[in-house]
Structure formats: structure tokens, C-alpha cells
Amino acid sequence: MKRFLFPLGIFLVLSVFLAVGLKLDPREVPSPLIDKPAPPFQLAQLRDPGKTLGPGELKGKVWIFNVWASWCVACLQEHPLLVELSRQNLVPIYGLNYKDGRDNALQWLDTHGNPYTLSAMDADGRVGIDYGVYGVPETYVIDKNGVIRFKQIGPVTPKVLEEKILPLVRKLQG
Amino acid sequence: MKRIIAVLLMVLALPAYANEAAPAAQDPVLEQRVMRLTSELRCLVCQNQSLADSHADLAIDLKNEVRSQMQAGKSDAEIREFMVARYGDFVLYRPPLKSTTALLWAGPFLLLAAGGLALGFYLRRRRKRLTESELTPEQRARAEALLHARREGQTR
């Protein structure tokens, strides 16, 4: 009996390690940008390229920053949720149109609805690099001081919105 | 005959399509430096590839970023810092020694130590068992007597 204890112990330890490993998502890379100031940029607006948009102008309010593109399939998944959120007028959503064409992007918004107060055009993806974007869509919550407080990689789900984003927004809005 | 000539002509024409590979950049020394640094950086889209190996869109953008930063005179360490500030330690194939990565670095040595301890323990127990199994003088005498008796029995 005793000789089975040792392999059994090893088996149990291994099982625990593997079980934990299964639960971890390697795609969820902890962002070093949390609690850091939102990287500054000044980009042309999507609808009105003559005007620019940057995080500097948004100081003083809590806002959601959503990276999207018309070529991004997963963006469609979260899109109805963002449109619904924008209707509730709880928090402004600003978009970063990532490596997209202007015409495609505008057409996409016309087809699927536009939840964005404004969108900025990041045609070459340079601002995306500053925000550590690697899997569109990505969503940030930025506080009144222009500090990133939350980052979601991949589509926003109703659960994430209800349990993480909205409580945080309410708290930050004070 | 016509067909054979046509095929022959086609075969002869093939090398015309061949071309020198376009130079990766004007500056091969710089390009080598880019490759060396990006082969130590992880592509975040295809996580088990390095930036150097990957042809993902983002990897190409990041390679261009690395190249232009090198052209601007940034050192490898500065560029690595630039990447870590945006994507975290995860981009590094060689993680830095930190409290969160201490186990990663020390793990193999801990396992080695544990293995050494287990081996020592086992050997000590084994030696004890071997010495314990040695017979006391009385037992030895008795065993010899028995063996002797048996041998005599066999000769008879």
C-alpha cells in the first residue's frame, strides 16, 4: 500500500499544476499599461479628417477607449454591446480605428451602428503600438486624470461589461 | 514536334522569372542587428514565434519600429525597454529576474536539490537495510550448521 503513496502524490501534484495551467489563458497578457498615463497622440478624426483627436482633450472625464477595425471579425461580436452602452449615455466611448481604410470604416459604422463619440484614425498602427495593441478589439477605461485603469484584450462580453467595466466607470466618475 | 519545342521554350524561359532576392534593407549590418534583437522578442499574435520569424502584420510593424529606432540611434536595451513598457515582460524570451519570476529561475535548481535530497535519503535507507540484514554471530553459526547438515545429507 505504502509503495503506491509516492506515485499517487506525484500524480496529485501534477494534476493540480495541469488543472491550473488549463485555466490560465496565455492570450491574457497582463498589460504593463494599467495605472500608467494613456500614451499621448494626435490623430485625424475618422469622419472629419481636418480635425484631430487626442487623449489630452479628454482630461477631466472618464472615457472608454475602444480599438476597432472594419476588417476585425471579433469587433462585430462586441459591437451591439457598445452600441447599447452608448445609448445609455453612461460614459463616452472613443474609438481608435486601427489600420483601416477610411471608406471601409465609415461604411462599417453606417451598417452596424456608431457607438463612438469620435473615432481617431490610426492608419499605420503606430498609436496601437504605444497602447500595446496586439489583438483587436481592445478596450481601455481611462480616468479623469488620463490614467489607464483597465484593459480588455479581445471582445467585451456582457459579463466583463457588467462586472468590471461599469462598476469601475461608476467608481471613477465618483 | 511543335509541342516539344513549346515545352522546351517554356523550360528555357523559366530562369527569366528568377531574380535576386530583394535586399532586406540598404544596410545589411543594421538588418542583422534588427534580426538579432527581434529573435529575442516574442510575437504577441502568434505567441510561440519570435518577432523575427513571424510574418504577422503586427510583427512586421514592430520589426519596422525596431529598425527605425535603431536608425535613430537607440541602443538594444532602450528598444527592449520600449517593448516591455507596451507589451510587458511577456515579449522577452529571456524573462528578467523579479519576484514574480523567481520561481521560474530558481525552479530547476530547487528540483535538482530536491532530487539530491531524495537520492541521499534513499541511499541512507538502503545502506541501513543492507547492514541490518547482516546476521548476528549466533545466526551465522546456526546457518552454517544447517548448511553443513544439508551438505552431509547430500553426500550420503
Side-chain angles (χ1 to χ4, degrees):
Chain A
M1 191 55 219
K2 220 174 118 193
R3 52 197 279 245
F4 292 118
L5 276 177
F6 191 57
L8 186 70
I10 291 182
F11 170 74
L12 285 178
V13 169
L14 262 184
S15 313
V16 169
F17 272 105
L18 291 176
V20 172
L22 266 182
K23 289 243 172 71
L24 294 174
D25 182 358
R27 303 231 142 240
E28 267 176 33
V29 181
S31 175
L33 288 163
I34 304 291
D35 292 332
K36 299 267 163 61
F41 62 83
Q42 207 66 44
L43 289 173
Q45 290 179 12
L46 178 63
R47 217 171 271 279
D48 189 353
K51 290 188 197 157
T52 61
L53 175 68
E57 305 149 32
L58 302 171
K59 281 241 166 98
K61 58 179 168 185
V62 181
W63 52 294
I64 286 179
F65 190 41
N66 178 251
V67 184
W68 65 281
S70 66
W71 47 261
C72 154
V73 181
C75 295
L76 271 182
Q77 203 179 320
E78 67 169 13
H79 202 68
L81 212 59
L82 294 181
V83 173
E84 176 58 32
L85 178 64
S86 72
R87 284 213 188 100
Q88 292 170 357
N89 263 330
L90 293 170
V91 56
I93 308 172
Y94 287 86
L96 183 72
N97 183 232
Y98 179 71
K99 300 192 83 169
D100 207 351
R102 187 158 174 268
D103 293 341
N104 286 344
L106 285 172
Q107 201 189 343
W108 194 82
L109 287 183
D110 287 343
T111 316
H112 302 289
N114 183 1
Y116 307 108
T117 312
L118 284 172
S119 274
M121 262 193 306
D122 184 23
D124 57 4
R126 187 58 195 71
V127 170
I129 291 179
D130 278 344
Y131 278 79
V133 171
Y134 68 87
V136 204
E138 296 197 7
T139 305
Y140 304 76
V141 176
I142 296 170
D143 73 8
K144 289 178 181 169
N145 299 319
V147 174
I148 296 174
R149 302 299 290 266
F150 175 83
K151 179 182 179 187
Q152 165 80 9
I153 293 162
V156 173
T157 61
K159 194 171 175 227
V160 168
L161 186 66
E162 288 300 325
E163 289 175 11
K164 293 207 173 128
I165 296 181
L166 285 178
L168 179 64
V169 164
R170 278 189 210 107
K171 199 182 104 195
L172 293 175
Q173 283 173 336
Chain B
M1 194 57 205
K2 247 187 198 167
R3 224 180 255 173
I4 293 172
I5 291 174
V7 168
L8 260 175
L9 281 176
M10 270 195 265
V11 170
L12 283 174
L14 271 182
Y17 292 103
N19 210 338
E20 269 305 280
Q26 311 304 339
D27 185 351
V29 179
L30 177 84
E31 208 51 31
Q32 224 172 22
R33 218 183 122 203
V34 170
M35 286 304 279
R36 208 170 41 232
L37 182 61
T38 51
S39 63
E40 281 187 26
L41 296 173
R42 187 193 305 270
C43 166
L44 288 122
V45 184
C46 33
Q47 297 190 346
N48 291 327
Q49 260 187 325
S50 71
L51 273 187
D53 292 339
S54 173
H55 292 281
D57 238 23
L58 180 67
I60 292 167
D61 285 356
L62 287 176
K63 260 182 280 191
N64 289 336
E65 182 67 32
V66 167
R67 187 176 299 118
S68 63
Q69 289 202 12
M70 280 178 177
Q71 277 163 344
K74 292 263 178 74
S75 73
D76 286 12
E78 280 171 317
I79 297 171
R80 224 174 274 136
E81 227 167 81
F82 172 92
M83 292 294 173
V84 170
R86 282 155 184 77
Y87 298 102
D89 289 335
F90 192 68
V91 290
L92 302 175
Y93 269 124
R94 288 183 223 203
L97 188 53
K98 278 185 178 179
S99 61
T100 46
T101 57
L103 192 62
L104 186 69
W105 281 95
F109 302 105
L110 286 178
L111 281 179
L112 185 68
L117 273 177
L119 182 67
F121 194 67
Y122 171 76
L123 285 178
R124 249 181 50 189
R125 248 187 30 190
R126 183 164 167 273
R127 189 188 301 151
K128 214 166 123 199
R129 208 171 54 219
L130 286 179
T131 47
E132 261 175 7
S133 71
E134 252 169 47
L135 302 173
T136 58
E138 299 99 78
Q139 285 173 323
R140 185 174 287 276
R142 199 174 151 230
E144 257 161 31
L146 282 171
L147 284 168
H148 198 64
R150 198 157 165 233
R151 223 173 284 145
E152 277 186 350
Q154 273 172 346
T155 49
R156 213 176 282 162

